[in-house]
Amino acid sequence: MTKEDLRIVFMGTPEFAVETLRALVENKFNVVAVVTQPDKPVGRHGSVLQPSAVKQYALEKGLPVLQPEKMKDPEFVEELRSYQANLQVVVAFRMLPEVVWAMPEYGTFNVHAALLPQYRGAAPINWAVINGETETGVTTFFLDHDIDTGRIIMKKSFAIPDDADVEYVYDGLMHLGAQLCLETLDAIVAADGHPASIPQDSVLDGSPVKSAPKLFKETCEINWNQPAKRVYDFVRGLSPVPGAWTTLVTPDGKDTVLKIYKTRKTGLAGKGSGTISVEGKTLCVSANDEQLELVELQLAGKKRMAARDFLNGMKGLDGSRVK
């Protein structure tokens, strides 16, 4: 088999997926169609429809685009079948029904931003950083009936520096995922559509399998009654999107939401969980063991700013609290 023999349908939505689609196009793989989410209403009244990043790139390259509301819709399934793909590639898309993932003769593989079986789920990059991991990576695996549990084809590792936030890891895995996808496709071509793969259970080493569930607003609230290192990792694991937050009790007794994007470990003894300390232009909050310096933050209704600028407009915080 040659790569020209592969008829590929690509499925994805955000910027993360564009890098892989671009790699397929620039390396002359035969992408016969692209499936992405329907255009999203944006603007004050939702009257403007915003196409996904994948759609925008696909249209630039003249690729057919399918945007089903429901993946089991009979008309969509028949249209998808009409492209006669023998392989489907999925990156950052939604859950597929069997009628879709089982359609091509060589199956459907996913590029997942974690080292499976660890961090199955919708937010693997965030949770790896939140949990203080020093390494993550990308995995290609064949889809089956359960989410993120199919046979592993290939993996590549990626180091997470202690000061890295999600943006750094996202960018790194986006490019690494595109590279791994190309290597996986080369293996599929070399093996006439049937590359070596292994069940995920075979790589379990007895350690707990960590999950990566979808993030919600309540998930992103900071718990100050834990070690400073946990709070530090939590903040960078949600920065810049969706952003960790806490409730600031202002000197006049009002509660307001404060998003925190960057902190710095100080090694200073804590003064009670949630207690604010101000020295000059330095703003710290105590976890249950040590103080963390707040470096970048955003008060509700304001722009993101450095803590020193925040202190210029917010006086009398020393000894106040967050909760």
Side-chain angles (χ1 to χ4, degrees):
M1 180 194 292
T2 66
K3 67 180 183 181
E4 290 76 19
D5 297 323
L6 277 180
R7 293 178 59 83
I8 298 171
V9 165
F10 181 87
M11 300 183 181
T13 296
E15 175 195 15
F16 189 91
V18 174
E19 189 65 25
T20 300
L21 178 56
R22 180 183 292 113
L24 299 188
V25 171
E26 292 180 354
N27 284 275
K28 310 300 182 185
F29 280 95
N30 184 19
V31 180
V32 296
V34 171
V35 182
T36 190
Q37 295 277 43
D39 294 357
K40 185 178 179 180
V42 295
R44 186 171 181 181
H45 303 291
S47 57
V48 178
L49 293 178
Q50 177 69 40
S52 72
V54 162
K55 179 181 179 179
Q56 293 178 57
Y57 178 80
L59 293 180
E60 287 174 12
K61 297 302 177 182
L63 300 173
V65 176
L66 287 66
Q67 295 178 275
E69 291 282 352
K70 297 180 179 180
M71 299 300 291
K72 290 184 179 180
D73 180 85
E75 290 186 11
F76 162 69
V77 172
E78 285 309 306
E79 185 178 10
L80 183 63
R81 200 184 308 276
S82 73
Y83 286 98
Q84 299 180 326
N86 44 24
L87 181 70
Q88 291 174 157
V89 177
V90 180
V91 184
F93 198 48
R94 53 177 140 166
M95 186 175 177
L96 302 182
E98 184 174 2
V99 68
V100 172
W101 59 256
M103 187 182 296
E105 61 178 314
Y106 302 139
T108 299
F109 77 81
N110 181 273
V111 180
H112 186 74
L115 297 174
L116 291 174
Q118 296 295 343
Y119 296 107
R120 294 167 177 158
I125 303 176
N126 299 93
W127 284 106
V129 181
I130 287 170
N131 288 336
E133 303 288 0
T134 59
E135 181 184 70
T136 184
V138 286
T139 304
T140 51
F141 70 97
F142 285 115
L143 295 190
D144 64 12
H145 292 92
D146 298 313
I147 298 176
D148 298 339
T149 60
R151 294 178 65 88
I152 292 171
I153 310 168
M154 290 183 176
K155 290 185 182 184
K156 276 187 179 293
S157 298
F158 181 84
I160 306 177
D162 183 65
D163 61 350
D165 61 14
V166 160
E167 188 171 41
Y168 172 89
V169 182
Y170 179 100
D171 187 65
L173 295 186
M174 179 172 68
H175 292 89
L176 190 65
Q179 180 184 343
L180 186 64
C181 181
L182 292 178
E183 293 180 15
T184 300
L185 287 170
D186 287 342
I188 289 172
V189 169
D192 290 327
H194 303 286
S197 62
I198 59 173
Q200 291 191 29
D201 288 348
S202 70
V203 297
L204 291 173
D205 59 5
S207 58
V209 175
K210 300 172 185 176
S211 62
K214 186 176 180 179
L215 297 167
F216 297 95
K217 181 182 178 181
E218 56 269 24
T219 314
C220 302
E221 183 177 12
I222 298 170
N223 172 15
W224 295 99
N225 193 28
Q226 59 181 337
K229 176 63 164 67
R230 289 287 299 164
V231 179
Y232 172 81
D233 291 336
F234 187 78
V235 169
R236 65 192 184 98
L238 296 169
S239 180
V241 177
W245 64 275
T246 191
T247 301
L248 171 67
V249 183
T250 60
D252 59 4
K254 294 181 180 178
D255 288 358
T256 186
V257 171
L258 185 68
K259 278 197 172 183
I260 300 174
Y261 295 98
K262 186 175 181 180
T263 65
R264 183 179 294 124
K265 289 174 284 187
T266 68
L268 299 173
K271 299 182 178 181
S273 300
T275 301
I276 296 172
S277 303
V278 179
E279 270 195 40
K281 295 298 182 181
T282 302
L283 173 63
C284 293
V285 177
S286 293
N288 73 359
D289 56 352
E290 299 176 358
Q291 296 181 52
L292 275 180
E293 180 185 351
L294 307 191
V295 179
E296 292 182 22
L297 42 76
Q298 182 179 13
L299 196 63
K302 305 292 184 180
K303 294 182 179 179
R304 179 174 172 175
M305 65 183 74
R308 61 182 179 274
D309 297 324
F310 170 78
L311 288 173
N312 287 335
M314 184 69 72
K315 305 298 183 183
L317 281 180
D318 190 49
S320 297
R321 296 185 58 80
V322 292
K323 60 180 183 179

